[in-house]
Amino acid sequence: MLLAIDTSAGTAVAAVAGDGRVLAERSTADTRRHAEVIGPFLAEVLAGADAAAAGGDADPLTGVVTGIGPGPFTGLRVGIAAARAVAIARGVPLLPVPSHDAVALDLIEGGVAAGRFCVVTDARRREVAVTEYAAALPVPSVVRPARLEPRLGFAPDEGVVLYEVTEIPATALAHVAAARLAAGATFPDPQPLYLRAPDVTMPTGPKRVTS
C-alpha cells in the first residue's frame, strides 16, 4: 500500500492498495490553504488505509510517495515535509515523484494524450513550467524535464500538444511510484522542483542601526 501526497498545486492525499484500488482520498484545488488542510486530509486517509489493512482488504503501508513539483516554494514544502514526517513515523521509504508525471500518466491512461505532449503549470509572472513527454506505459517517458518558459510566445514543436493543469491527482502519483517499484527503477532525489527561488531571503548578519 502506498500513501501519496502532493501540494504542488492544490492539496491531494490518497492511499492506494497494491492492486491499484483507491482505499481513501481527499483533495482540494485551493492553492492557498495547504498547511490548513494537509493535517485533516492525512488523518482521514490514513484512518481509511489502516482500517483496510486491519480488515484484511489491503497490506500495511509500505511507502510514502511525495510529489516534488514543479510548484511554488511554500506550498511544495508543506507536502514534502508532511510526507517525510509520515515516512519516518511509519518506518517506510520516501518515494519522490515529479508531480507532472502523475498528470501525464492520467492523460495517457484516459486516452487523452498520445505521441509527444507537454504538461504545463502556471508559474505566474508571465511564465509557465513545462515538462515534455512521450506517451508510454506503465510510466510516461520524459523527453525534456521541467523548465520555465514565457507564457506569451512559448510554442512547442509542431504536433506537440499542451495540457495545462490546476490539480495533481494523488492516485496517479501512487501509480507512477508503483510502476517504478515494479520495474526496479530508481527514484529521483527528494529535492523540490521550485518554480523559482523564494522572494524572501534569510538575513546574513545583524542589522545596522543608525541614529
Side-chain angles (χ1 to χ4, degrees):
M1 188 205 304
L2 296 175
L3 175 73
I5 302 169
D6 191 278
T7 54
S8 62
T11 302
V13 181
V16 178
D19 58 7
R21 287 179 298 125
V22 179
L23 302 173
E25 63 179 332
R26 289 296 310 273
S27 66
T28 175
D30 193 327
T31 60
R32 297 181 180 274
R33 299 180 62 243
H34 301 101
E36 290 85 352
V37 302
I38 190 68
F41 281 9
L42 278 172
E44 292 177 32
V45 171
L46 282 170
D50 289 343
D57 293 330
D59 293 327
L61 188 66
T62 56
V64 179
V65 187
T66 180
I68 57 173
F73 183 84
T74 303
L76 198 54
R77 287 170 66 91
V78 169
I80 295 174
R84 284 182 184 274
V86 176
I88 291 170
R90 295 294 181 106
V92 296
L94 182 71
L95 307 172
V97 171
S99 303
H100 279 182
D101 287 8
V103 178
L105 182 62
D106 234 20
L107 290 169
I108 296 168
E109 289 184 334
V112 177
R116 287 171 59 197
F117 63 97
C118 290
V119 176
V120 180
T121 295
D122 185 2
R124 312 296 182 188
R125 300 182 187 178
R126 301 179 182 178
E127 291 180 311
V128 289
V130 182
T131 307
E132 186 175 336
Y133 293 92
L137 292 174
V139 178
S141 176
V142 178
V143 176
R144 286 195 287 177
R147 65 199 187 278
L148 280 179
E149 298 281 357
R151 173 175 284 280
L152 297 177
F154 169 63
D157 296 337
E158 185 177 352
V160 177
V161 182
L162 299 178
Y163 297 97
E164 187 164 349
V165 298
T166 56
E167 293 185 72
I168 304 297
T171 53
L173 199 71
H175 290 158
V176 172
R180 283 180 176 270
L181 288 169
T186 58
F187 286 80
D189 292 331
Q191 297 300 319
L193 301 173
Y194 295 130
L195 292 174
R196 56 178 54 83
D199 294 325
V200 178
T201 57
M202 295 296 290
T204 56
K207 282 187 176 181
R208 295 185 61 186
V209 179
T210 58
S211 57

